[in-house]
Every structure is written in structure tokens, then in C-alpha cells.
Amino acid sequence: MFMILAWGIWKARCAFLFQNKTCDPERTLANALVQVGSQKLILSQPTPKEHAGLTAMNLARFSASGYCCQSDGSFDHNENGGAAFVCKHDGILIGYELNPFVKATSPFHMETIALLMAIQNAVNWRIEECVFYTDSETLVKLLASDSYTQALQAVDWRSYSELMRVVLLLKSNAHYRCVFIPREDNLVAHQLANVARSGQFYYKGYTYPLFSTFESGCTSRIPR
């Protein structure tokens, strides 16, 4: 608790000095409590070894159908958020979406919204079997938990509505799975979510040109 609170104070201090954002002690404490709860949830349930060491080149092999979606959420302390997902079939782009949100409540809230976007679109596209990748280990652990009610006590309760919709969609689609991947293997979705948040930008597409330069680490082609 001490280390997480100190880290939260440091972030608030940097935001005040470099971004001219007002420090709110109560919000800093509330964010620290959410982080503590998230860490307890992660530590209580070890990551399955079968998904250790994933790389961007072998993500789709966990789905027999070849479909996989990568999602990510972005959040800042002004309650601005962004969510994005990218869906592929055997490495070929099927579609992607980036969506801005105002009055977001937490990073976990945005991660949940991003995953919900991906699953809803897979259902709309009538994809029967798909693996959904997210770099939110907390979210993956929660969805794998036997008791959603107990697990919810460790995360942002304001995400409840979106989280329950994710749970219902996963339960009603038996061949959907949610898997954790490291941030470095999720960079395209991560960068698209940041664009959605920082520019309050919405876009839905099915071809690469909008963000093809993300593959080389360049974001110059993203519309502002």
C-alpha cells in the first residue's frame, strides 16, 4: 500500500508540474486503493503457463479458426479515455475500431470497454471461435475467476455494467477465450487507444493504410 500510494503521489506531482493539472488527494488515494485491490487479485491467481512468452507472430495459433482480436484501453486523470481493438484472421486484417470516451472512471474501466467492443464486433461478424488478447492481466484473471462477485471487490466497481456484458457474451459464446499478453505484443491496439483518447478521435476501418506505419513505430499517418 505504501509503495503504490507513493507512486500515485509521484504521478500526481509530475502531472501538476509538467501538465498543470490540479492535484486531488482524495482521487490519488482512491486510485491507490484500486491498484492495491488489482494487485491482490493478480497475485491470488497465477498466469496459466500455456500462454507464457507470447509474441506478435504466434498469437493466432491459440485459435483453431485462426481468428484473434487484440484490444486495449487508454485513460488519463482528466477522465478522458480511449478504447481500440484490431481483429485478424490468419494474420490478415478483418477490421479495427478506435473510440474516445469522456467521463471514463479508471484504466480498468477502459480496458473492459475495449474488450467489450472487440467481443461485440466478433459476434456481429458471426465469428464462432476467437481468442481475445488484452494486456490487462487483472481483467483476464477476473474473467477466469469462479466468483465474479468476490473478484469485483478488487477492481473499479464503476466498470460493473460493461464487465457483466463481457461475462454474458463469453458465456453465450463457448468458443471465445480471453488471454493476457504483454504490452509489447499489443502495441497497435495500445497506440490506437492512445490516439482515440488524446485526440477524441473515432474511426472504424477494414484496411491497413490508416495505421500501417504503427508496425514500424511511426504514428505520422494517424488523423488528428
Side-chain angles (χ1 to χ4, degrees):
M1 178 64 187
F2 172 78
M3 289 187 291
I4 291 176
L5 184 58
W7 177 71
I9 292 173
W10 173 256
K11 286 188 66 178
R13 175 259 186 197
C14 290
F16 175 76
L17 286 179
F18 301 112
Q19 300 177 11
N20 198 30
K21 295 182 180 179
T22 303
C23 291
D24 185 342
E26 291 185 0
R27 175 173 294 181
T28 299
L29 179 58
N31 289 339
L33 291 173
V34 169
Q35 290 293 327
V36 169
S38 299
Q39 291 301 316
K40 287 181 179 179
L41 180 62
I42 291 173
L43 293 173
S44 67
Q45 302 178 41
T47 303
K49 292 183 179 180
E50 68 175 52
H51 300 303
L54 289 174
T55 66
M57 297 301 294
N58 65 7
L59 293 179
R61 69 185 180 89
F62 289 102
S63 171
S65 69
Y67 283 101
C68 67
C69 289
Q70 294 175 248
S71 67
D72 198 21
S74 179
F75 175 81
D76 67 27
H77 291 290
N78 287 328
E79 298 183 344
N80 293 318
F85 77 89
V86 179
C87 184
K88 297 180 181 180
H89 179 245
D90 290 335
I92 299 173
L93 181 70
I94 299 299
Y96 64 96
E97 182 176 342
L98 51 157
N99 207 333
F101 291 85
V102 294
K103 300 300 181 183
T105 62
S106 67
F108 180 84
H109 186 209
M110 293 312 308
E111 295 284 2
T112 305
I113 289 175
L115 179 59
L116 178 60
M117 283 171 47
I119 297 175
Q120 285 178 326
N121 276 273
V123 171
N124 293 340
W125 293 333
R126 298 182 179 180
I127 297 174
E128 296 182 355
E129 181 174 349
C130 188
V131 179
F132 298 90
Y133 295 98
T134 171
D135 55 31
S136 174
E137 191 170 5
T138 302
L139 180 55
V140 172
K141 297 296 185 183
L142 192 151
L143 294 172
S145 173
D146 294 330
S147 174
Y148 296 114
T149 303
Q150 182 178 1
L152 276 171
Q153 298 176 5
V155 297
D156 183 3
W157 62 269
R158 295 165 295 185
S159 306
Y160 180 85
S161 176
E162 291 85 1
L163 188 59
M164 287 301 98
R165 289 163 64 189
V166 169
V167 170
L168 291 173
L169 286 170
L170 290 177
K171 284 184 174 294
S172 59
N173 293 273
H175 298 294
Y176 283 5
R177 287 196 297 158
C178 185
V179 175
F180 167 75
I181 55 171
R183 170 63 57 78
E184 57 267 24
D185 290 329
N186 201 33
L187 289 180
V188 173
H190 170 70
Q191 291 170 326
L192 287 174
N194 283 341
V195 168
R197 173 189 55 78
S198 62
Q200 288 298 290
F201 179 75
Y202 170 81
Y203 194 87
K204 190 170 186 176
Y206 306 92
T207 57
Y208 270 114
L210 176 65
F211 64 99
S212 59
T213 49
F214 272 141
E215 302 295 340
S216 61
C218 174
T219 61
S220 61
R221 295 189 188 176
I222 289 292
R224 295 295 178 180

